[in-house]
Amino acid sequence: MTDPVAAWRAAVAARPGDAALHCGLATALWQALEHDEAMASLREALRLDPDHVAAHTQLAHALAERGDPAAALALYRQGLRLAPAHAELLAGLGNALMRLERAAEAEPAYRAALRQQPDHAGALNNLGNALMVLNRAEEALAQYQLAHAVLPHSWGTQNNIASALLALHRPAEAEAWLRKVLEALPDYAEAANNLGGALLAQDRLEEAAAWFEHAIGLAPSLRQAVFGLAMARLGQGELAVGWDAYESRWDDPRFAAEHATSRLPCWRGEAIAGARILLTAEQGFGDTIQFARYAPLFARHGATPVLAVQPALVALLRPLAETVPLGDEAGCTWHCPLLSLPQRFATTLHSIPKVALAADPQRVAAWRHRLGPRSGRRIGLVISGDPGHSDDAQRSLPAGHLAPLLAQNAEFHLLQPATDRTELAGVTAHDLQDFADTAALASLMDLVITVDTAGAHLAASLGRPTWILLPHAADWRWLRHRDDSPWYPSARLFRQTTRGDWPGVIARVVQSLA
């Protein structure tokens, strides 16, 4: 069999001034994994013919592959000045921008490539990737499906279709795609991780954990799989394994940015007698309220805890420890993120620290005066959470489902800032200044009915009877197959029995009220 590299070398030796032959040699060298020599051949082609579009394209591709997207970007742009309508250069430009985390600029580059070549499978697929980064999963799915029509046997594209379906909260459909991919490629780690995510979203935790473990076995550094395993094991109540795996969140840029806010050394169980330790909030308000309970435990270490929390929580949490806004290091010498404390204290289901928040008596008195005489049982409502939360569509309760509840004989009060999503006839809205204000109002309720958001943690931390309405695949902290919570003795859980079945949840709430 003829050696392709040798054949191209002979051709170049015969006509050393032919830029096209140098490009051909470069292709053969690249396929033979002689990358440095391939790039040298491409640079020679450009020296011989600075306007050689193919040489620009190949060298830019090579630079991107070798991990230099900034240099590739410059070369793609040089090539496009020579050939503005060149689909491969436009698609490559998009790829370089994506590697530089500039998805908003990559999108128009891919669209320009597709105007020149509508069936460019790479541009179709990678436009989908850009749209996913831009949180436009519906559009991304459409692009992936077009790419699949062009290349029906691209397993990567099919995995991407599943990723988009997961982002659109369609896990059963994602599962079907992923099982087909993994039947063909059992060692595809990203697909195994995605299948774990699809099963997790369907509340099939044991199966999910098995697939996350398979993905980790294939790619031990796949942080998403380790984090997914944490979600599955914590949800099953296997806290020792779960807390350790949950520390993998620091490998995720979204969490790592929060972790990097403190320049102090992170406490991992060292002796800290006499020290001040900054316990830093992370993630949402509810997470801070739930895990602030660990602050008093530092007395056993002889250390002084300082809670660094979101400004809206400072007044509420001040009774637990010295409390400052996030960003203030308050003379501390150590820090630890709040959600790492269960792992540091080796928390089990039987050793969860008790919490006993109390509302400010002066605020309670002021709210009691504002409410006046009661007309019946007082019920506080929280029906929606942060609209920016990735699971908001699953956790928040559409107002239209509340009619059977609001028909009950009771005084209903909204325990959250009023928005278009919470305007309810027969429910009194209030001007709430911060969480300490909400705590005072909640403490005057006979019952709080809430979705899984900060209001649930607040009411239950106050010891108020709290009924928490949960989606089918509830967050790990509510565990599975139980209607109580080891985190909150006063809480009662009402779970969807099937995905999206809020009417069934409300019917059981109404029945329990009766």
Side-chain angles (χ1 to χ4, degrees), residues 189-194 212 215-216 218-227:
E190 290 183 7
N193 171 65
N194 276 344
F212 287 132
I216 294 165
L218 295 170
S221 62
L222 189 59
R223 56 177 170 76
Q224 300 97 322
V226 181
F227 189 76

PDB file of all heavy atoms in Angstrom, residues 189-194 212 215-216 218-227:
ATOM      1  N   ALA A 189     -18.987   8.402  27.307  1.00  0.00           N
ATOM      2  CA  ALA A 189     -19.156   8.871  28.685  1.00  0.00           C
ATOM      3  C   ALA A 189     -20.185   9.987  28.800  1.00  0.00           C
ATOM      4  O   ALA A 189     -20.998  10.009  29.736  1.00  0.00           O
ATOM      5  CB  ALA A 189     -17.809   9.347  29.238  1.00  0.00           C
ATOM      6  N   GLU A 190     -20.166  10.949  27.883  1.00  0.00           N
ATOM      7  CA  GLU A 190     -21.105  12.067  27.978  1.00  0.00           C
ATOM      8  C   GLU A 190     -22.543  11.593  27.823  1.00  0.00           C
ATOM      9  O   GLU A 190     -23.454  12.102  28.489  1.00  0.00           O
ATOM     10  CB  GLU A 190     -20.760  13.128  26.947  1.00  0.00           C
ATOM     11  CG  GLU A 190     -19.461  13.869  27.260  1.00  0.00           C
ATOM     12  CD  GLU A 190     -19.186  14.979  26.250  1.00  0.00           C
ATOM     13  OE1 GLU A 190     -20.055  15.243  25.404  1.00  0.00           O
ATOM     14  OE2 GLU A 190     -18.089  15.559  26.324  1.00  0.00           O
ATOM     15  N   ALA A 191     -22.767  10.627  26.939  1.00  0.00           N
ATOM     16  CA  ALA A 191     -24.120  10.092  26.777  1.00  0.00           C
ATOM     17  C   ALA A 191     -24.548   9.329  28.026  1.00  0.00           C
ATOM     18  O   ALA A 191     -25.709   9.404  28.447  1.00  0.00           O
ATOM     19  CB  ALA A 191     -24.184   9.190  25.545  1.00  0.00           C
ATOM     20  N   ALA A 192     -23.618   8.596  28.641  1.00  0.00           N
ATOM     21  CA  ALA A 192     -23.943   7.882  29.881  1.00  0.00           C
ATOM     22  C   ALA A 192     -24.312   8.870  30.983  1.00  0.00           C
ATOM     23  O   ALA A 192     -25.262   8.658  31.747  1.00  0.00           O
ATOM     24  CB  ALA A 192     -22.759   7.026  30.319  1.00  0.00           C
ATOM     25  N   ASN A 193     -23.572   9.977  31.052  1.00  0.00           N
ATOM     26  CA  ASN A 193     -23.903  11.016  32.028  1.00  0.00           C
ATOM     27  C   ASN A 193     -25.286  11.608  31.748  1.00  0.00           C
ATOM     28  O   ASN A 193     -26.095  11.806  32.668  1.00  0.00           O
ATOM     29  CB  ASN A 193     -22.848  12.125  31.982  1.00  0.00           C
ATOM     30  CG  ASN A 193     -23.252  13.330  32.799  1.00  0.00           C
ATOM     31  OD1 ASN A 193     -23.369  13.267  34.009  1.00  0.00           O
ATOM     32  ND2 ASN A 193     -23.494  14.447  32.118  1.00  0.00           N
ATOM     33  N   ASN A 194     -25.570  11.892  30.481  1.00  0.00           N
ATOM     34  CA  ASN A 194     -26.875  12.453  30.135  1.00  0.00           C
ATOM     35  C   ASN A 194     -28.007  11.481  30.449  1.00  0.00           C
ATOM     36  O   ASN A 194     -29.089  11.892  30.874  1.00  0.00           O
ATOM     37  CB  ASN A 194     -26.911  12.839  28.657  1.00  0.00           C
ATOM     38  CG  ASN A 194     -26.324  14.214  28.410  1.00  0.00           C
ATOM     39  OD1 ASN A 194     -26.165  15.008  29.331  1.00  0.00           O
ATOM     40  ND2 ASN A 194     -25.997  14.496  27.156  1.00  0.00           N
ATOM     41  N   PHE A 212     -24.465   7.291  36.201  1.00  0.00           N
ATOM     42  CA  PHE A 212     -23.438   8.273  36.561  1.00  0.00           C
ATOM     43  C   PHE A 212     -22.135   7.556  36.919  1.00  0.00           C
ATOM     44  O   PHE A 212     -21.045   7.998  36.524  1.00  0.00           O
ATOM     45  CB  PHE A 212     -23.904   9.121  37.749  1.00  0.00           C
ATOM     46  CG  PHE A 212     -24.978  10.128  37.406  1.00  0.00           C
ATOM     47  CD1 PHE A 212     -26.114  10.252  38.194  1.00  0.00           C
ATOM     48  CD2 PHE A 212     -24.832  10.965  36.307  1.00  0.00           C
ATOM     49  CE1 PHE A 212     -27.094  11.178  37.892  1.00  0.00           C
ATOM     50  CE2 PHE A 212     -25.820  11.904  35.995  1.00  0.00           C
ATOM     51  CZ  PHE A 212     -26.952  12.007  36.788  1.00  0.00           C
ATOM     52  N   ALA A 215     -20.440   6.479  33.790  1.00  0.00           N
ATOM     53  CA  ALA A 215     -19.785   7.610  33.122  1.00  0.00           C
ATOM     54  C   ALA A 215     -18.481   7.967  33.821  1.00  0.00           C
ATOM     55  O   ALA A 215     -17.464   8.246  33.162  1.00  0.00           O
ATOM     56  CB  ALA A 215     -20.723   8.816  33.105  1.00  0.00           C
ATOM     57  N   ILE A 216     -18.479   7.940  35.150  1.00  0.00           N
ATOM     58  CA  ILE A 216     -17.263   8.263  35.902  1.00  0.00           C
ATOM     59  C   ILE A 216     -16.187   7.211  35.646  1.00  0.00           C
ATOM     60  O   ILE A 216     -14.999   7.531  35.520  1.00  0.00           O
ATOM     61  CB  ILE A 216     -17.589   8.362  37.406  1.00  0.00           C
ATOM     62  CG1 ILE A 216     -18.511   9.556  37.672  1.00  0.00           C
ATOM     63  CG2 ILE A 216     -16.315   8.482  38.240  1.00  0.00           C
ATOM     64  CD1 ILE A 216     -19.163   9.538  39.036  1.00  0.00           C
ATOM     65  N   LEU A 218     -15.746   5.643  32.918  1.00  0.00           N
ATOM     66  CA  LEU A 218     -15.205   5.899  31.580  1.00  0.00           C
ATOM     67  C   LEU A 218     -14.365   7.169  31.542  1.00  0.00           C
ATOM     68  O   LEU A 218     -13.367   7.248  30.824  1.00  0.00           O
ATOM     69  CB  LEU A 218     -16.360   6.036  30.573  1.00  0.00           C
ATOM     70  CG  LEU A 218     -17.206   4.787  30.338  1.00  0.00           C
ATOM     71  CD1 LEU A 218     -18.434   5.135  29.522  1.00  0.00           C
ATOM     72  CD2 LEU A 218     -16.375   3.710  29.624  1.00  0.00           C
ATOM     73  N   ALA A 219     -14.799   8.189  32.312  1.00  0.00           N
ATOM     74  CA  ALA A 219     -14.118   9.492  32.295  1.00  0.00           C
ATOM     75  C   ALA A 219     -14.120  10.041  33.719  1.00  0.00           C
ATOM     76  O   ALA A 219     -15.016  10.807  34.089  1.00  0.00           O
ATOM     77  CB  ALA A 219     -14.829  10.445  31.339  1.00  0.00           C
ATOM     78  N   PRO A 220     -13.144   9.665  34.540  1.00  0.00           N
ATOM     79  CA  PRO A 220     -13.141  10.065  35.956  1.00  0.00           C
ATOM     80  C   PRO A 220     -13.184  11.567  36.182  1.00  0.00           C
ATOM     81  O   PRO A 220     -13.613  12.019  37.248  1.00  0.00           O
ATOM     82  CB  PRO A 220     -11.833   9.466  36.486  1.00  0.00           C
ATOM     83  CG  PRO A 220     -11.547   8.315  35.569  1.00  0.00           C
ATOM     84  CD  PRO A 220     -12.034   8.763  34.217  1.00  0.00           C
ATOM     85  N   SER A 221     -12.755  12.354  35.193  1.00  0.00           N
ATOM     86  CA  SER A 221     -12.750  13.809  35.366  1.00  0.00           C
ATOM     87  C   SER A 221     -14.047  14.460  34.893  1.00  0.00           C
ATOM     88  O   SER A 221     -14.137  15.695  34.880  1.00  0.00           O
ATOM     89  CB  SER A 221     -11.573  14.421  34.595  1.00  0.00           C
ATOM     90  OG  SER A 221     -11.707  14.172  33.202  1.00  0.00           O
ATOM     91  N   LEU A 222     -15.048  13.662  34.514  1.00  0.00           N
ATOM     92  CA  LEU A 222     -16.307  14.224  34.024  1.00  0.00           C
ATOM     93  C   LEU A 222     -17.100  14.748  35.225  1.00  0.00           C
ATOM     94  O   LEU A 222     -17.864  14.030  35.867  1.00  0.00           O
ATOM     95  CB  LEU A 222     -17.104  13.159  33.264  1.00  0.00           C
ATOM     96  CG  LEU A 222     -18.346  13.629  32.504  1.00  0.00           C
ATOM     97  CD1 LEU A 222     -18.005  14.675  31.454  1.00  0.00           C
ATOM     98  CD2 LEU A 222     -19.055  12.453  31.862  1.00  0.00           C
ATOM     99  N   ARG A 223     -16.921  16.049  35.520  1.00  0.00           N
ATOM    100  CA  ARG A 223     -17.467  16.627  36.751  1.00  0.00           C
ATOM    101  C   ARG A 223     -18.985  16.558  36.800  1.00  0.00           C
ATOM    102  O   ARG A 223     -19.576  16.420  37.867  1.00  0.00           O
ATOM    103  CB  ARG A 223     -17.015  18.086  36.894  1.00  0.00           C
ATOM    104  CG  ARG A 223     -17.372  18.976  35.721  1.00  0.00           C
ATOM    105  CD  ARG A 223     -16.963  20.418  35.940  1.00  0.00           C
ATOM    106  NE  ARG A 223     -17.097  21.216  34.738  1.00  0.00           N
ATOM    107  CZ  ARG A 223     -18.246  21.657  34.253  1.00  0.00           C
ATOM    108  NH1 ARG A 223     -19.378  21.351  34.868  1.00  0.00           N
ATOM    109  NH2 ARG A 223     -18.284  22.394  33.158  1.00  0.00           N
ATOM    110  N   GLN A 224     -19.639  16.665  35.606  1.00  0.00           N
ATOM    111  CA  GLN A 224     -21.106  16.620  35.619  1.00  0.00           C
ATOM    112  C   GLN A 224     -21.614  15.287  36.155  1.00  0.00           C
ATOM    113  O   GLN A 224     -22.641  15.230  36.832  1.00  0.00           O
ATOM    114  CB  GLN A 224     -21.660  16.857  34.204  1.00  0.00           C
ATOM    115  CG  GLN A 224     -21.281  18.187  33.595  1.00  0.00           C
ATOM    116  CD  GLN A 224     -20.076  18.068  32.676  1.00  0.00           C
ATOM    117  OE1 GLN A 224     -19.144  17.307  32.968  1.00  0.00           O
ATOM    118  NE2 GLN A 224     -20.096  18.794  31.574  1.00  0.00           N
ATOM    119  N   ALA A 225     -20.888  14.211  35.843  1.00  0.00           N
ATOM    120  CA  ALA A 225     -21.321  12.894  36.302  1.00  0.00           C
ATOM    121  C   ALA A 225     -21.127  12.751  37.805  1.00  0.00           C
ATOM    122  O   ALA A 225     -21.969  12.160  38.498  1.00  0.00           O
ATOM    123  CB  ALA A 225     -20.553  11.797  35.563  1.00  0.00           C
ATOM    124  N   VAL A 226     -20.035  13.292  38.328  1.00  0.00           N
ATOM    125  CA  VAL A 226     -19.814  13.227  39.776  1.00  0.00           C
ATOM    126  C   VAL A 226     -20.888  14.041  40.496  1.00  0.00           C
ATOM    127  O   VAL A 226     -21.431  13.609  41.519  1.00  0.00           O
ATOM    128  CB  VAL A 226     -18.406  13.752  40.132  1.00  0.00           C
ATOM    129  CG1 VAL A 226     -18.167  13.654  41.632  1.00  0.00           C
ATOM    130  CG2 VAL A 226     -17.338  12.956  39.381  1.00  0.00           C
ATOM    131  N   PHE A 227     -21.218  15.203  39.951  1.00  0.00           N
ATOM    132  CA  PHE A 227     -22.257  16.033  40.558  1.00  0.00           C
ATOM    133  C   PHE A 227     -23.615  15.338  40.456  1.00  0.00           C
ATOM    134  O   PHE A 227     -24.409  15.359  41.407  1.00  0.00           O
ATOM    135  CB  PHE A 227     -22.303  17.399  39.859  1.00  0.00           C
ATOM    136  CG  PHE A 227     -23.200  18.385  40.545  1.00  0.00           C
ATOM    137  CD1 PHE A 227     -22.806  19.005  41.710  1.00  0.00           C
ATOM    138  CD2 PHE A 227     -24.447  18.691  40.019  1.00  0.00           C
ATOM    139  CE1 PHE A 227     -23.627  19.927  42.349  1.00  0.00           C
ATOM    140  CE2 PHE A 227     -25.286  19.595  40.655  1.00  0.00           C
ATOM    141  CZ  PHE A 227     -24.873  20.217  41.823  1.00  0.00           C
TER     142      PHE A 227
END
